[in-house]
Amino acid sequence: DDPENQPSDPNYTKVLKKYFGYSKFRPLQWKIINSVLNDKKDNCVVMATGYGKSLCYQFPSVYTQRLTVVISPLISLMEDQVLGLKAANIPACLLGSAQEDNSLTRSNLLRGEYRLLYITPEFASSASSLLSQLHQKIGIDLIAIDEAHCVSQWGHDFRAAYRSLGCLKEEFSTVPVMALTATATVEVRRDICRSLKLHSPIISCTGFDRPNLFLSVSNKTTAAVDLKGLLHQTRNGLHCPTIVYCPTKKTTMEVANTLAVLGFSCLPYHAGLSLNTRKQAHKKFVNDQVQIVVATVAFGMGIDKPDVRKVIHYGAPKDIESYYQEVGRAGRDGLPSDCHAFYSDSDFAVSRHFINEIKSEKFREHKTLMMNKMMQYLASASCRRRILLSHFEGQERLDVGGTENCCDNCRKKIESSRRQNYYSNKNWQTADTMVPQDQLVDLSREALDLFSAIKLTEGRFGLMVPIQFLCGAHSQKLQRMHKLVRHQNFGSGKYRPQKFWKALGQCLKFEGYLKEQAVDRGFGATVHLSKKAEQWLKKAESSRSLKLVPTQDLLSELR
Ligand code: ADP
């Protein structure tokens, strides 16, 4: 072990063993805890789900015997944590919930009886006098802000009360603040540090890879057909806790009914059901009394169940960030788990509509990018893990993928290379052999033709019109533009079918060469060249080449 990862003083390890039952800190945990205890530093902690965020903020005051204030968005989540801590002989309490006896808790708090105090962000903004009293009497070691991405509108769970938490740092300037999240695009991270007014925070970031999650995608037909097979698969015949996410309350009910008729043990969960019904569903799921919860994304934060074996999206996930968060609920115990998405192209119409309504141009573009990334992930014929990780880590992750346990696309490639080896009389490859991935295809000529056609149609249409132009199709819209049908390039793309051009357009959009702009009303969008495409066009012809990793659709057109 790197000495930076573990304390040299054995007292820390004793406390770790005694209260938490672990014999070692995980890399990063000690670095963070040490910076709080010994340097009073602010921290922004970005950790993949399952890595062990809780210990980072629970350990310090257990060690010092003083107090940590934890701000967390959900009462149920806090209740679970408080119960868990009490069971480990760590006195903890929660304020602001109707169930607790607040006055008794307060007086116990002031006597220094608790190591951890959990509150909601709403409660935090009204509790400054209590917090200052506590700080004076017993001393607050740390203010931890869990699910800190809720401060950011760039994130996926924006919550207004988080915005005002910056006042804590102003009031308690000597108390270290630790912001924690599992979501981390660069924008969100920046927003967290700025809004919470952290003073030169230490930023710790784990990798985002969850190697135990197998990623796969298929087209949607009907719930009965699609889900039956998937849900019957068990892992070694064991009970297989599963979350099926649906985009709306209506589909949630429909899918839950379908599964019930098929004889699965399942319950629905969405914001339209009574609090009690939801609580029951949650409880039964956590206690393994029901195998499947069919839910909207309302079933999310606070599901502290380490052995969720499958997360299935029935209908396209909204965007890449939400998707990462949602599949993150599978396999927190580190054991192999499956994440499967069913989708059809029309699934994005509603998201697109909502995005078009966003007033701020910058924010609208950001949301469009997130949605396009999701579409790319679903449509891709190459390694899905690579798409996911490259998005979050901001750089191409060439070191992942290519193994049988990675994703459906990698698995397919391995199977087909095995078949080839078999027929060419060679030995079968072993299961974990890496196969070369994601071959780039030179599509310079085609891209040039498509870009020119889009320019000619002056960005007034979606992709269809420039494609009809290339294929020399006489559509109504084209007929109205006499200049176009008489243009020398009309029909110049007949060397490829319409389907090819559509798939190429999609792929160029994912790679950032094309962008869409919403039209004022309705669901439509016009297509335009991005800066990237304009720059490419400016290059000298001899040095201009455009190579792409084709999507599933484009790949089948190229074959
Ligand atoms: P997160 O909030 O980051 O998703 P948790 O705090 O719930 O993660 O921890 C995830 C799992 O890792 C839990 O089962 C926890 O018991 C375990 N864990 C955390 N820290 C350690 C450690 N130092 N050694 C062993 N297990 C740990």
Side-chain angles (χ1 to χ4, degrees):
D1 269 329
D2 181 342
E4 249 199 21
N5 293 335
Q6 303 298 333
S8 49
D9 180 346
N11 284 326
Y12 292 106
T13 330
K14 266 186 209 149
V15 171
L16 182 68
K17 184 82 204 159
K18 177 168 175 208
Y19 288 96
F20 298 92
Y22 312 137
S23 37
K24 271 199 249 166
F25 290 95
R26 287 193 173 146
L28 283 187
Q29 283 178 333
W30 171 246
K31 185 185 125 203
I32 294 163
I33 291 167
N34 188 24
S35 81
V36 169
L37 283 176
N38 299 318
D39 304 325
K40 304 266 171 270
K41 293 288 277 183
D42 288 346
N43 276 271
C44 176
V45 177
V46 183
M47 271 183 183
T49 313
Y51 190 92
K53 277 186 282 297
S54 333
L55 184 75
C56 299
Y57 60 81
Q58 289 172 347
F59 186 88
S61 57
V62 173
Y63 182 79
T64 61
Q65 306 270 306
R66 303 190 331 158
L67 180 71
T68 286
V69 178
V70 185
I71 296 158
S72 172
L74 277 187
I75 302 268
S76 62
L77 187 77
M78 297 193 275
E79 283 171 349
D80 289 349
Q81 291 228 353
V82 168
L83 279 177
L85 288 163
K86 281 183 182 163
N89 279 324
I90 299 170
C93 66
L94 137 70
L95 273 183
S97 125
Q99 275 98 21
E100 294 266 323
D101 181 349
N102 286 343
S103 60
L104 182 65
T105 309
R106 276 167 202 253
S107 55
N108 286 345
L109 261 170
L110 286 164
R111 278 203 304 275
E113 288 187 10
Y114 298 112
R115 301 285 77 82
L116 290 124
L117 161 64
Y118 283 81
I119 53 179
T120 60
E122 288 78 12
F123 188 86
S125 29
S126 66
S128 79
S129 74
L130 173 69
L131 295 183
S132 0
Q133 252 181 314
L134 284 170
H135 191 36
Q136 275 164 17
K137 281 199 83 172
I138 28 180
I140 297 178
D141 276 330
L142 174 67
I143 297 172
I145 301 176
D146 203 7
E147 310 285 358
H149 59 273
C150 295
V151 303
S152 177
Q153 278 179 311
W154 300 105
H156 50 86
D157 275 321
F158 175 61
R159 174 133 155 203
Y162 264 83
R163 267 284 194 241
S164 43
L165 293 178
C167 69
L168 291 173
K169 189 71 217 179
E170 283 172 344
E171 257 190 83
F172 303 97
S173 57
T174 54
V175 179
V177 170
M178 183 187 294
L180 305 107
T181 179
T183 309
T185 53
V186 180
E187 288 102 344
V188 175
R189 208 181 306 161
R190 242 184 254 136
D191 222 10
I192 289 174
C193 296
R194 203 183 313 126
S195 310
L196 297 177
K197 304 199 162 71
L198 306 187
H199 290 322
S200 20
I202 296 182
I203 297 179
S204 310
C205 198
T206 62
F208 287 89
D209 194 11
R210 301 276 312 278
N212 60 319
L213 304 186
F214 179 78
L215 307 167
S216 57
V217 175
S218 54
N219 285 318
K220 198 166 67 173
T221 59
T222 69
V225 172
D226 294 338
L227 295 173
K228 200 174 166 183
L230 201 63
L231 293 175
H232 270 307
Q233 286 168 20
T234 52
R235 289 239 176 222
N236 308 326
L238 294 173
H239 180 77
C240 198
T242 300
I243 306 174
V244 179
Y245 279 118
C246 297
T248 61
K249 292 177 206 164
K250 190 164 157 263
T251 33
T252 301
M253 292 314 289
E254 287 166 2
V255 171
N257 287 336
T258 308
L259 294 182
V261 169
L262 289 170
F264 288 104
S265 128
C266 74
L267 282 172
Y269 186 108
H270 60 72
L273 298 171
S274 75
L275 185 64
N276 197 31
T277 313
R278 276 181 283 156
K279 273 199 162 169
Q280 281 299 318
H282 184 193
K283 211 168 139 196
K284 287 193 167 163
F285 184 63
V286 171
N287 296 334
D288 289 329
Q289 290 163 305
V290 63
Q291 184 193 354
I292 304 165
V293 170
V294 185
T296 59
V297 290
F299 189 64
M301 253 196 251
I303 308 167
D304 203 0
K305 185 167 177 59
D307 60 344
V308 175
R309 289 277 78 84
K310 286 177 205 257
V311 170
I312 297 170
H313 281 73
Y314 200 71
K318 194 171 72 180
D319 59 47
I320 194 99
E321 246 191 273
S322 317
Y323 188 63
Y324 179 78
Q325 197 79 10
E326 284 147 23
V327 297
R329 297 186 182 123
R332 291 175 69 163
D333 53 9
L335 297 176
S337 308
D338 295 308
C339 307
H340 190 89
F342 289 96
Y343 83 111
S344 68
D345 286 331
S346 57
D347 288 352
F348 286 98
V350 177
S351 302
R352 201 176 280 129
H353 179 72
F354 282 119
I355 290 174
N356 289 351
E357 307 263 286
I358 298 174
K359 293 275 176 315
S360 144
E361 188 184 333
K362 212 173 137 206
F363 193 45
R364 195 171 56 239
E365 277 180 4
H366 170 78
K367 285 287 179 192
T368 309
L369 182 77
M370 296 286 165
M371 183 181 73
N372 282 343
K373 270 284 158 196
M374 192 66 234
M375 292 166 90
Q376 179 180 23
Y377 173 92
L378 296 170
S380 178
S382 58
C383 175
R384 300 193 200 276
R385 186 174 304 277
R386 218 175 263 185
I387 295 176
L388 211 57
L389 294 180
S390 303
H391 172 72
F392 285 107
E393 298 181 5
Q395 57 189 22
E396 197 62 53
R397 280 290 300 268
L398 298 171
D399 55 324
V400 295
T403 67
E404 201 162 36
N405 294 325
C406 176
C407 67
D408 50 353
N409 288 337
C410 288
R411 188 172 281 180
K412 259 183 239 158
K413 279 181 191 159
I414 288 179
E415 279 165 4
S416 84
S417 85
R418 264 195 202 141
R419 265 196 304 276
Q420 278 166 15
N421 283 345
Y422 181 73
Y423 287 119
S424 60
N425 253 345
K426 286 187 193 143
N427 290 329
W428 282 31
Q429 294 187 327
T430 54
D432 55 4
T433 309
M434 302 268 287
V435 291
Q437 276 265 335
D438 307 345
Q439 315 249 325
L440 289 165
V441 180
D442 190 333
L443 290 160
S444 313
R445 175 186 175 196
E446 288 85 347
L448 181 64
D449 286 343
L450 187 59
F451 292 162
S452 313
I454 291 171
K455 279 198 140 180
L456 273 175
T457 51
E458 297 157 4
R460 286 165 52 198
F461 305 98
L463 255 183
M464 233 22 237
V465 171
I467 289 176
Q468 286 162 349
F469 171 84
L470 283 173
C471 296
H474 288 273
S475 76
Q476 262 185 358
K477 271 188 190 160
L478 262 179
Q479 285 307 330
R480 267 184 265 132
M481 301 185 66
H482 301 292
K483 206 175 76 192
L484 281 183
V485 280
R486 269 186 257 117
H487 193 278
Q488 56 174 359
N489 288 351
F490 182 70
S492 63
K494 280 186 180 164
Y495 64 100
R496 295 280 195 188
Q498 285 207 10
K499 265 172 130 178
F500 168 89
W501 293 108
K502 253 175 95 171
L504 177 66
Q506 192 75 308
C507 202
L508 288 167
K509 191 172 79 186
F510 295 151
E511 299 291 336
Y513 288 97
L514 298 180
K515 56 181 187 184
E516 284 181 324
Q517 211 158 34
V519 286
D520 267 352
R521 260 177 226 118
F523 292 108
T526 54
V527 67
H528 304 261
L529 302 194
S530 69
K531 268 204 197 100
K532 189 171 172 186
E534 295 285 4
Q535 275 163 2
W536 184 79
L537 283 172
K538 278 194 200 120
K539 285 187 185 171
E541 212 172 306
S542 55
S543 66
R544 195 170 57 194
S545 94
L546 199 153
K547 291 183 179 164
L548 292 172
V549 178
T551 55
Q552 206 82 257
D553 289 347
L554 190 54
L555 201 64
S556 48
E557 289 304 315
L558 285 167
R559 275 182 184 137

